[in-house]
Amino acid sequence: MNSDLVVVGSGFFGLTVAERCARERGMKVLVIDRRPHVGGNAYSADEPTTGIEVHQYGAHLFHTSVDRVWEYANRFTDFTSYQHRVYTTVRGEVYPMPINLGTINQFFRAAYTPDEARALITEQAGELAGTDPQNLNDKGIQLIGRPLYEAFIKGYTAKQWQTDPKDLPASIITRLPVRYTYNNRYFNDTHEGLPVDGYTAWLERMADHPNIEVRLSTDFFDVSQPVNKGAVVGQVPVVYTGPVDRYFDYAEGELGWRTLDFEQEVLDVGDFQGTPVMNYADDDVPYTRIHEFRHFHPERDYPTDRTVVVREYSRFAERGDEPYYPVNTAADREALLRYRERVEAETAERRIVFGGRLGTYKYLDMHMAIGAALSTYDNTLPDVLR
Ligand code: FDA
């Protein structure tokens, strides 16, 4: 093998490390991915009949307050001025999210000032004051009061987890943000936008360097491939961004994930819902939300008589499903600690670094994956490459 580094996984974590090592250290980097495309979960593709860009693994909105990450991202793409806003349909009525003064006044048919609204929610949350809620349902009531919790959180959470919130641990939520202003911008970050030419162009530019070779449809655990775990680890430094439990053959147990199912449809209307994301909070609607992808890029010249919508359904992942969100039960956290010990030993003995959302069993936003990769490049890799 004539590579100085093998990177397993071409998501933001893997590509950031690969790009830095190739450009800054002049290393020859081989990136493999088991999927037929680069980009990990941020990958997008144009729906062929409309040309509308669809994020294939769920909607991806870029936002960060970390200047270093923003500057790094801007080397590969310009960003639009898109600002994310979400609405939710509850009992046949549409409200702005996250819960804000507009939501509260609409819901209670009132014109409360910020102080009046705050006093009302404090009073309603007082129903369970002084108790120590053990389940998510009681915790939700204690945080924002029963009326808002039952309308906006209860059914949505039940669908996300396919479990009655009374049977979910309180620890899943620590806070439910309520804003006492009319600000319904979803993110509070300094920088926000969508890549002007789409995610895939951005990700492909990161990999576009003479020292980087990308091999797709190549699974690290497929022993029939020349580049596989047995052939590579210990021989060449490796950055591994696949699932940590899979790497160790599930020796400490399987870590739980939630997955999503997407139902995509092209409709013969120019505009289906007037906004990119509509949540559905009622538990008798089976999906959690509908994305209408044209609205992420109002600046583009998309067809005016057709649109693409994607309904999203949430459920627990089986082995073989795409892992999306860590479930993080107490048993998962214990298993993760045992995996971390194995990871440390493996890094020390065999020059392999684990990273990214799958390699660390952590939900990471894109900017966090990029930031973590830049830190790994600065702090961890020098020892591994020595
Ligand atoms: P990522 O999963 O992207 O890449 C890992 C790669 O490793 C994959 O390409 C996989 O195929 C490959 N791989 C795994 N096992 C392998 C093996 N055995 N052999 C070879 N390759 C293997 N973030 C954000 O900032 N804004 C947002 O709006 C969203 N939205 C969002 C929606 C949904 C539904 C999810 C699940 C996630 C988001 N994210 C997000 C988070 C975003 O997707 C995340 O930050 C990046 O995917 C993290 O990049 P990684 O490189 O860590 O993993």
Side-chain angles (χ1 to χ4, degrees), residues 270-378:
D271 194 347
F272 173 73
Q273 61 185 19
T275 194
V277 182
M278 180 65 72
N279 290 354
Y280 286 84
D282 297 328
D283 54 11
D284 57 352
V285 178
Y287 37 84
T288 50
R289 45 189 183 170
I290 299 181
H291 297 284
E292 185 173 11
F293 277 91
R294 65 176 311 118
H295 292 298
F296 286 126
H297 289 282
E299 79 285 0
R300 288 187 187 164
D301 202 10
Y302 283 148
T304 52
D305 57 348
R306 270 172 312 150
T307 196
V308 182
V309 297
V310 176
R311 291 183 182 78
E312 191 174 298
Y313 302 78
S314 177
R315 63 180 170 82
F316 285 97
E318 310 275 325
R319 197 185 279 189
D321 286 328
E322 286 297 342
Y324 280 138
Y325 299 105
V327 174
N328 238 335
T329 59
D332 287 328
R333 288 195 295 272
E334 280 163 26
L336 183 61
L337 289 178
R338 296 194 296 273
Y339 278 122
R340 283 200 187 133
E341 282 175 21
R342 287 178 179 258
V343 163
E344 250 176 59
E346 197 76 354
T347 301
E349 288 160 24
R350 308 182 76 194
R351 300 203 296 165
I352 174 164
V353 176
F354 291 70
R357 60 181 200 99
L358 300 167
T360 56
Y361 188 64
K362 228 189 257 167
Y363 178 81
L364 299 175
D365 270 330
M366 292 178 280
H367 71 102
M368 295 157 84
I370 295 170
L374 293 173
S375 302
T376 297
Y377 174 76
D378 287 344

Side-chain angles (χ1 to χ4, degrees), residues 13 33-34 40-41 59-61 219-220 357 363-366:
F13 191 98
D33 204 296
R34 66 184 175 85
N41 276 9
H60 276 66
L61 300 316
D219 192 317
F220 193 50
R357 60 181 200 99
Y363 178 81
L364 299 175
D365 270 330
M366 292 178 280

Side-chain angles (χ1 to χ4, degrees), residues 123-137:
E123 184 199 318
Q124 292 180 345
E127 181 184 333
L128 293 182
T131 62
D132 182 18
Q134 294 303 306
N135 66 63
L136 192 150
N137 194 71

